[in-house]
Amino acid sequence: PDCDGTRYRAPVLDVKLVRGPHRCSIADVLELTVAEAAHWFQNDREVVARLQPIIDVGLDYVRLGQPVPTLSGGEAQRLKLAGFLAEAAHSPAQRVARHGTLFLFDEPTTGLHFDDIAKLMRAFRKLLAAGHSLLVIEHNLDVIRAADWIVDLGPEGGEAGGLIVC
């Protein structure tokens, strides 16, 4: 009742960020989607640089204050991927320290629109360019086509699978 569901007391909500005619409290900012926030903070390069990896993996529709447990499994995977992309982009020293990380993705394109798959593939290329390796379990032919190596297991799933077909 004290915060009206915003999780902040009145004195905190009284502090406003001003951008042109718009005035936003912390609660207002947390209601913005990543895309809206990138637009709203377009003149603040540091903020946009932090949001860009999230946009790059196709999660620009997520609200800044959205609790992580409400994300789907695929969204959570892509958010984690965005974190690694941000780390590689913002700290060259860390990039060397984490060089050689092996990422394992289990059908990351499930349920994604073609445009989001293209964004995911660009994110994968950024990881590869940073010196990481990817192991992707996938059925999407466009993703398979982009692979350096393909291992086909089968010949069927479950009990009839598990053998290297080719």
Side-chain angles (χ1 to χ4, degrees), residues 37-63:
H39 178 72
W40 208 72
F41 290 101
Q42 65 188 346
N43 295 326
D44 189 329
R45 289 178 38 201
E46 188 173 335
V47 172
V48 173
R50 299 293 179 185
L51 295 173
Q52 193 59 51
I54 301 170
I55 294 168
D56 289 346
V57 297
L59 292 176
D60 53 338
Y61 59 89
V62 172
R63 299 209 175 274

PDB file of all heavy atoms in Angstrom, residues 37-63:
ATOM      1  N   ALA A  37      13.616   1.997 -24.074  1.00  0.00           N
ATOM      2  CA  ALA A  37      14.695   2.564 -23.262  1.00  0.00           C
ATOM      3  C   ALA A  37      15.865   3.007 -24.149  1.00  0.00           C
ATOM      4  O   ALA A  37      16.443   4.075 -23.932  1.00  0.00           O
ATOM      5  CB  ALA A  37      15.165   1.560 -22.220  1.00  0.00           C
ATOM      6  N   ALA A  38      16.205   2.201 -25.163  1.00  0.00           N
ATOM      7  CA  ALA A  38      17.291   2.572 -26.072  1.00  0.00           C
ATOM      8  C   ALA A  38      16.953   3.874 -26.798  1.00  0.00           C
ATOM      9  O   ALA A  38      17.822   4.728 -26.997  1.00  0.00           O
ATOM     10  CB  ALA A  38      17.560   1.454 -27.068  1.00  0.00           C
ATOM     11  N   HIS A  39      15.690   4.027 -27.168  1.00  0.00           N
ATOM     12  CA  HIS A  39      15.266   5.267 -27.824  1.00  0.00           C
ATOM     13  C   HIS A  39      15.284   6.436 -26.831  1.00  0.00           C
ATOM     14  O   HIS A  39      15.768   7.518 -27.142  1.00  0.00           O
ATOM     15  CB  HIS A  39      13.872   5.102 -28.433  1.00  0.00           C
ATOM     16  CG  HIS A  39      13.362   6.346 -29.076  1.00  0.00           C
ATOM     17  ND1 HIS A  39      13.875   6.827 -30.259  1.00  0.00           N
ATOM     18  CD2 HIS A  39      12.413   7.231 -28.684  1.00  0.00           C
ATOM     19  CE1 HIS A  39      13.256   7.949 -30.570  1.00  0.00           C
ATOM     20  NE2 HIS A  39      12.357   8.214 -29.625  1.00  0.00           N
ATOM     21  N   TRP A  40      14.748   6.202 -25.639  1.00  0.00           N
ATOM     22  CA  TRP A  40      14.644   7.252 -24.631  1.00  0.00           C
ATOM     23  C   TRP A  40      16.021   7.748 -24.196  1.00  0.00           C
ATOM     24  O   TRP A  40      16.218   8.920 -23.957  1.00  0.00           O
ATOM     25  CB  TRP A  40      13.848   6.733 -23.429  1.00  0.00           C
ATOM     26  CG  TRP A  40      13.125   7.811 -22.690  1.00  0.00           C
ATOM     27  CD1 TRP A  40      12.020   8.488 -23.100  1.00  0.00           C
ATOM     28  CD2 TRP A  40      13.467   8.342 -21.416  1.00  0.00           C
ATOM     29  NE1 TRP A  40      11.644   9.396 -22.156  1.00  0.00           N
ATOM     30  CE2 TRP A  40      12.520   9.336 -21.099  1.00  0.00           C
ATOM     31  CE3 TRP A  40      14.471   8.078 -20.500  1.00  0.00           C
ATOM     32  CZ2 TRP A  40      12.547  10.062 -19.929  1.00  0.00           C
ATOM     33  CZ3 TRP A  40      14.500   8.805 -19.321  1.00  0.00           C
ATOM     34  CH2 TRP A  40      13.547   9.779 -19.047  1.00  0.00           C
ATOM     35  N   PHE A  41      16.979   6.818 -24.111  1.00  0.00           N
ATOM     36  CA  PHE A  41      18.338   7.165 -23.684  1.00  0.00           C
ATOM     37  C   PHE A  41      19.303   7.276 -24.865  1.00  0.00           C
ATOM     38  O   PHE A  41      20.510   7.132 -24.692  1.00  0.00           O
ATOM     39  CB  PHE A  41      18.871   6.124 -22.704  1.00  0.00           C
ATOM     40  CG  PHE A  41      18.211   6.148 -21.359  1.00  0.00           C
ATOM     41  CD1 PHE A  41      17.236   5.222 -21.039  1.00  0.00           C
ATOM     42  CD2 PHE A  41      18.562   7.106 -20.417  1.00  0.00           C
ATOM     43  CE1 PHE A  41      16.614   5.235 -19.792  1.00  0.00           C
ATOM     44  CE2 PHE A  41      17.956   7.129 -19.168  1.00  0.00           C
ATOM     45  CZ  PHE A  41      16.974   6.194 -18.852  1.00  0.00           C
ATOM     46  N   GLN A  42      18.796   7.532 -26.060  1.00  0.00           N
ATOM     47  CA  GLN A  42      19.633   7.516 -27.267  1.00  0.00           C
ATOM     48  C   GLN A  42      20.828   8.453 -27.211  1.00  0.00           C
ATOM     49  O   GLN A  42      21.834   8.221 -27.890  1.00  0.00           O
ATOM     50  CB  GLN A  42      18.790   7.813 -28.506  1.00  0.00           C
ATOM     51  CG  GLN A  42      18.193   9.196 -28.537  1.00  0.00           C
ATOM     52  CD  GLN A  42      17.211   9.359 -29.679  1.00  0.00           C
ATOM     53  OE1 GLN A  42      17.165   8.535 -30.582  1.00  0.00           O
ATOM     54  NE2 GLN A  42      16.417  10.411 -29.639  1.00  0.00           N
ATOM     55  N   ASN A  43      20.769   9.488 -26.407  1.00  0.00           N
ATOM     56  CA  ASN A  43      21.896  10.421 -26.293  1.00  0.00           C
ATOM     57  C   ASN A  43      22.892  10.027 -25.209  1.00  0.00           C
ATOM     58  O   ASN A  43      23.882  10.717 -25.000  1.00  0.00           O
ATOM     59  CB  ASN A  43      21.382  11.841 -26.042  1.00  0.00           C
ATOM     60  CG  ASN A  43      20.584  12.360 -27.222  1.00  0.00           C
ATOM     61  OD1 ASN A  43      20.893  12.038 -28.364  1.00  0.00           O
ATOM     62  ND2 ASN A  43      19.550  13.125 -26.949  1.00  0.00           N
ATOM     63  N   ASP A  44      22.619   8.937 -24.517  1.00  0.00           N
ATOM     64  CA  ASP A  44      23.522   8.445 -23.473  1.00  0.00           C
ATOM     65  C   ASP A  44      24.179   7.173 -24.000  1.00  0.00           C
ATOM     66  O   ASP A  44      23.625   6.081 -23.901  1.00  0.00           O
ATOM     67  CB  ASP A  44      22.748   8.179 -22.182  1.00  0.00           C
ATOM     68  CG  ASP A  44      23.657   7.878 -21.006  1.00  0.00           C
ATOM     69  OD1 ASP A  44      24.754   7.302 -21.220  1.00  0.00           O
ATOM     70  OD2 ASP A  44      23.267   8.195 -19.875  1.00  0.00           O
ATOM     71  N   ARG A  45      25.366   7.328 -24.567  1.00  0.00           N
ATOM     72  CA  ARG A  45      26.042   6.212 -25.245  1.00  0.00           C
ATOM     73  C   ARG A  45      26.275   5.019 -24.329  1.00  0.00           C
ATOM     74  O   ARG A  45      26.185   3.873 -24.758  1.00  0.00           O
ATOM     75  CB  ARG A  45      27.364   6.684 -25.851  1.00  0.00           C
ATOM     76  CG  ARG A  45      27.154   7.589 -27.042  1.00  0.00           C
ATOM     77  CD  ARG A  45      28.431   8.115 -27.634  1.00  0.00           C
ATOM     78  NE  ARG A  45      29.500   7.127 -27.639  1.00  0.00           N
ATOM     79  CZ  ARG A  45      30.779   7.431 -27.722  1.00  0.00           C
ATOM     80  NH1 ARG A  45      31.160   8.676 -27.818  1.00  0.00           N
ATOM     81  NH2 ARG A  45      31.696   6.483 -27.723  1.00  0.00           N
ATOM     82  N   GLU A  46      26.580   5.280 -23.063  1.00  0.00           N
ATOM     83  CA  GLU A  46      26.869   4.184 -22.139  1.00  0.00           C
ATOM     84  C   GLU A  46      25.623   3.333 -21.885  1.00  0.00           C
ATOM     85  O   GLU A  46      25.700   2.103 -21.858  1.00  0.00           O
ATOM     86  CB  GLU A  46      27.419   4.729 -20.826  1.00  0.00           C
ATOM     87  CG  GLU A  46      27.916   3.625 -19.916  1.00  0.00           C
ATOM     88  CD  GLU A  46      28.624   4.155 -18.682  1.00  0.00           C
ATOM     89  OE1 GLU A  46      29.147   5.275 -18.716  1.00  0.00           O
ATOM     90  OE2 GLU A  46      28.649   3.408 -17.693  1.00  0.00           O
ATOM     91  N   VAL A  47      24.479   3.978 -21.718  1.00  0.00           N
ATOM     92  CA  VAL A  47      23.232   3.234 -21.498  1.00  0.00           C
ATOM     93  C   VAL A  47      22.880   2.426 -22.741  1.00  0.00           C
ATOM     94  O   VAL A  47      22.559   1.239 -22.653  1.00  0.00           O
ATOM     95  CB  VAL A  47      22.076   4.186 -21.104  1.00  0.00           C
ATOM     96  CG1 VAL A  47      20.743   3.435 -21.068  1.00  0.00           C
ATOM     97  CG2 VAL A  47      22.354   4.845 -19.760  1.00  0.00           C
ATOM     98  N   VAL A  48      22.955   3.051 -23.900  1.00  0.00           N
ATOM     99  CA  VAL A  48      22.624   2.356 -25.149  1.00  0.00           C
ATOM    100  C   VAL A  48      23.580   1.184 -25.374  1.00  0.00           C
ATOM    101  O   VAL A  48      23.153   0.098 -25.806  1.00  0.00           O
ATOM    102  CB  VAL A  48      22.636   3.328 -26.349  1.00  0.00           C
ATOM    103  CG1 VAL A  48      22.462   2.583 -27.667  1.00  0.00           C
ATOM    104  CG2 VAL A  48      21.527   4.374 -26.181  1.00  0.00           C
ATOM    105  N   ALA A  49      24.864   1.370 -25.048  1.00  0.00           N
ATOM    106  CA  ALA A  49      25.836   0.284 -25.209  1.00  0.00           C
ATOM    107  C   ALA A  49      25.484  -0.908 -24.319  1.00  0.00           C
ATOM    108  O   ALA A  49      25.696  -2.063 -24.712  1.00  0.00           O
ATOM    109  CB  ALA A  49      27.243   0.780 -24.888  1.00  0.00           C
ATOM    110  N   ARG A  50      24.923  -0.662 -23.147  1.00  0.00           N
ATOM    111  CA  ARG A  50      24.524  -1.750 -22.242  1.00  0.00           C
ATOM    112  C   ARG A  50      23.259  -2.445 -22.735  1.00  0.00           C
ATOM    113  O   ARG A  50      23.065  -3.636 -22.481  1.00  0.00           O
ATOM    114  CB  ARG A  50      24.296  -1.221 -20.825  1.00  0.00           C
ATOM    115  CG  ARG A  50      25.505  -0.591 -20.203  1.00  0.00           C
ATOM    116  CD  ARG A  50      26.580  -1.600 -19.938  1.00  0.00           C
ATOM    117  NE  ARG A  50      27.739  -0.941 -19.353  1.00  0.00           N
ATOM    118  CZ  ARG A  50      28.858  -1.544 -19.095  1.00  0.00           C
ATOM    119  NH1 ARG A  50      28.985  -2.826 -19.334  1.00  0.00           N
ATOM    120  NH2 ARG A  50      29.866  -0.878 -18.577  1.00  0.00           N
ATOM    121  N   LEU A  51      22.398  -1.710 -23.414  1.00  0.00           N
ATOM    122  CA  LEU A  51      21.143  -2.291 -23.912  1.00  0.00           C
ATOM    123  C   LEU A  51      21.341  -3.017 -25.249  1.00  0.00           C
ATOM    124  O   LEU A  51      20.593  -3.935 -25.572  1.00  0.00           O
ATOM    125  CB  LEU A  51      20.086  -1.197 -24.082  1.00  0.00           C
ATOM    126  CG  LEU A  51      19.617  -0.504 -22.805  1.00  0.00           C
ATOM    127  CD1 LEU A  51      18.711   0.673 -23.145  1.00  0.00           C
ATOM    128  CD2 LEU A  51      18.906  -1.489 -21.886  1.00  0.00           C
ATOM    129  N   GLN A  52      22.351  -2.614 -26.021  1.00  0.00           N
ATOM    130  CA  GLN A  52      22.533  -3.136 -27.374  1.00  0.00           C
ATOM    131  C   GLN A  52      22.647  -4.668 -27.444  1.00  0.00           C
ATOM    132  O   GLN A  52      22.029  -5.278 -28.315  1.00  0.00           O
ATOM    133  CB  GLN A  52      23.734  -2.471 -28.057  1.00  0.00           C
ATOM    134  CG  GLN A  52      23.790  -2.734 -29.552  1.00  0.00           C
ATOM    135  CD  GLN A  52      22.556  -2.236 -30.275  1.00  0.00           C
ATOM    136  OE1 GLN A  52      22.155  -1.098 -30.122  1.00  0.00           O
ATOM    137  NE2 GLN A  52      21.945  -3.103 -31.073  1.00  0.00           N
ATOM    138  N   PRO A  53      23.405  -5.327 -26.563  1.00  0.00           N
ATOM    139  CA  PRO A  53      23.468  -6.794 -26.656  1.00  0.00           C
ATOM    140  C   PRO A  53      22.098  -7.460 -26.463  1.00  0.00           C
ATOM    141  O   PRO A  53      21.823  -8.496 -27.063  1.00  0.00           O
ATOM    142  CB  PRO A  53      24.430  -7.188 -25.532  1.00  0.00           C
ATOM    143  CG  PRO A  53      25.270  -5.975 -25.325  1.00  0.00           C
ATOM    144  CD  PRO A  53      24.353  -4.808 -25.573  1.00  0.00           C
ATOM    145  N   ILE A  54      21.245  -6.862 -25.657  1.00  0.00           N
ATOM    146  CA  ILE A  54      19.899  -7.418 -25.460  1.00  0.00           C
ATOM    147  C   ILE A  54      19.087  -7.256 -26.737  1.00  0.00           C
ATOM    148  O   ILE A  54      18.357  -8.170 -27.142  1.00  0.00           O
ATOM    149  CB  ILE A  54      19.202  -6.745 -24.250  1.00  0.00           C
ATOM    150  CG1 ILE A  54      20.042  -6.951 -22.988  1.00  0.00           C
ATOM    151  CG2 ILE A  54      17.795  -7.292 -24.056  1.00  0.00           C
ATOM    152  CD1 ILE A  54      19.590  -6.132 -21.797  1.00  0.00           C
ATOM    153  N   ILE A  55      19.258  -6.127 -27.398  1.00  0.00           N
ATOM    154  CA  ILE A  55      18.599  -5.904 -28.684  1.00  0.00           C
ATOM    155  C   ILE A  55      19.159  -6.874 -29.716  1.00  0.00           C
ATOM    156  O   ILE A  55      18.415  -7.452 -30.515  1.00  0.00           O
ATOM    157  CB  ILE A  55      18.792  -4.434 -29.135  1.00  0.00           C
ATOM    158  CG1 ILE A  55      18.056  -3.494 -28.177  1.00  0.00           C
ATOM    159  CG2 ILE A  55      18.327  -4.229 -30.575  1.00  0.00           C
ATOM    160  CD1 ILE A  55      18.411  -2.031 -28.345  1.00  0.00           C
ATOM    161  N   ASP A  56      20.476  -7.075 -29.695  1.00  0.00           N
ATOM    162  CA  ASP A  56      21.145  -7.943 -30.674  1.00  0.00           C
ATOM    163  C   ASP A  56      20.642  -9.377 -30.634  1.00  0.00           C
ATOM    164  O   ASP A  56      20.685 -10.079 -31.648  1.00  0.00           O
ATOM    165  CB  ASP A  56      22.659  -7.938 -30.456  1.00  0.00           C
ATOM    166  CG  ASP A  56      23.306  -6.623 -30.856  1.00  0.00           C
ATOM    167  OD1 ASP A  56      22.656  -5.807 -31.540  1.00  0.00           O
ATOM    168  OD2 ASP A  56      24.469  -6.400 -30.455  1.00  0.00           O
ATOM    169  N   VAL A  57      20.195  -9.847 -29.478  1.00  0.00           N
ATOM    170  CA  VAL A  57      19.711 -11.230 -29.387  1.00  0.00           C
ATOM    171  C   VAL A  57      18.185 -11.302 -29.528  1.00  0.00           C
ATOM    172  O   VAL A  57      17.587 -12.354 -29.316  1.00  0.00           O
ATOM    173  CB  VAL A  57      20.172 -11.935 -28.091  1.00  0.00           C
ATOM    174  CG1 VAL A  57      21.681 -12.052 -28.057  1.00  0.00           C
ATOM    175  CG2 VAL A  57      19.635 -11.254 -26.854  1.00  0.00           C
ATOM    176  N   GLY A  58      17.556 -10.177 -29.889  1.00  0.00           N
ATOM    177  CA  GLY A  58      16.123 -10.188 -30.179  1.00  0.00           C
ATOM    178  C   GLY A  58      15.215 -10.074 -28.973  1.00  0.00           C
ATOM    179  O   GLY A  58      14.056 -10.476 -29.027  1.00  0.00           O
ATOM    180  N   LEU A  59      15.713  -9.528 -27.872  1.00  0.00           N
ATOM    181  CA  LEU A  59      14.887  -9.389 -26.671  1.00  0.00           C
ATOM    182  C   LEU A  59      14.506  -7.930 -26.420  1.00  0.00           C
ATOM    183  O   LEU A  59      14.277  -7.525 -25.286  1.00  0.00           O
ATOM    184  CB  LEU A  59      15.620  -9.944 -25.448  1.00  0.00           C
ATOM    185  CG  LEU A  59      15.833 -11.447 -25.419  1.00  0.00           C
ATOM    186  CD1 LEU A  59      16.664 -11.850 -24.205  1.00  0.00           C
ATOM    187  CD2 LEU A  59      14.498 -12.192 -25.413  1.00  0.00           C
ATOM    188  N   ASP A  60      14.382  -7.149 -27.496  1.00  0.00           N
ATOM    189  CA  ASP A  60      14.082  -5.728 -27.335  1.00  0.00           C
ATOM    190  C   ASP A  60      12.672  -5.461 -26.818  1.00  0.00           C
ATOM    191  O   ASP A  60      12.371  -4.360 -26.382  1.00  0.00           O
ATOM    192  CB  ASP A  60      14.318  -4.976 -28.642  1.00  0.00           C
ATOM    193  CG  ASP A  60      13.596  -5.580 -29.827  1.00  0.00           C
ATOM    194  OD1 ASP A  60      13.247  -6.774 -29.787  1.00  0.00           O
ATOM    195  OD2 ASP A  60      13.389  -4.848 -30.816  1.00  0.00           O
ATOM    196  N   TYR A  61      11.818  -6.476 -26.797  1.00  0.00           N
ATOM    197  CA  TYR A  61      10.444  -6.325 -26.303  1.00  0.00           C
ATOM    198  C   TYR A  61      10.321  -6.542 -24.790  1.00  0.00           C
ATOM    199  O   TYR A  61       9.291  -6.258 -24.189  1.00  0.00           O
ATOM    200  CB  TYR A  61       9.512  -7.315 -27.018  1.00  0.00           C
ATOM    201  CG  TYR A  61       9.928  -8.752 -26.834  1.00  0.00           C
ATOM    202  CD1 TYR A  61       9.461  -9.492 -25.753  1.00  0.00           C
ATOM    203  CD2 TYR A  61      10.802  -9.366 -27.727  1.00  0.00           C
ATOM    204  CE1 TYR A  61       9.856 -10.804 -25.569  1.00  0.00           C
ATOM    205  CE2 TYR A  61      11.201 -10.672 -27.560  1.00  0.00           C
ATOM    206  CZ  TYR A  61      10.720 -11.388 -26.482  1.00  0.00           C
ATOM    207  OH  TYR A  61      11.116 -12.685 -26.300  1.00  0.00           O
ATOM    208  N   VAL A  62      11.375  -7.048 -24.160  1.00  0.00           N
ATOM    209  CA  VAL A  62      11.353  -7.332 -22.723  1.00  0.00           C
ATOM    210  C   VAL A  62      11.383  -6.013 -21.952  1.00  0.00           C
ATOM    211  O   VAL A  62      12.074  -5.070 -22.337  1.00  0.00           O
ATOM    212  CB  VAL A  62      12.566  -8.212 -22.336  1.00  0.00           C
ATOM    213  CG1 VAL A  62      12.688  -8.372 -20.831  1.00  0.00           C
ATOM    214  CG2 VAL A  62      12.462  -9.570 -23.005  1.00  0.00           C
ATOM    215  N   ARG A  63      10.630  -5.936 -20.867  1.00  0.00           N
ATOM    216  CA  ARG A  63      10.617  -4.727 -20.031  1.00  0.00           C
ATOM    217  C   ARG A  63      11.854  -4.729 -19.124  1.00  0.00           C
ATOM    218  O   ARG A  63      12.285  -5.775 -18.651  1.00  0.00           O
ATOM    219  CB  ARG A  63       9.348  -4.664 -19.195  1.00  0.00           C
ATOM    220  CG  ARG A  63       8.114  -4.605 -20.074  1.00  0.00           C
ATOM    221  CD  ARG A  63       6.965  -3.872 -19.438  1.00  0.00           C
ATOM    222  NE  ARG A  63       5.868  -3.744 -20.384  1.00  0.00           N
ATOM    223  CZ  ARG A  63       5.756  -2.772 -21.266  1.00  0.00           C
ATOM    224  NH1 ARG A  63       6.659  -1.821 -21.325  1.00  0.00           N
ATOM    225  NH2 ARG A  63       4.743  -2.729 -22.097  1.00  0.00           N
TER     226      ARG A  63
END
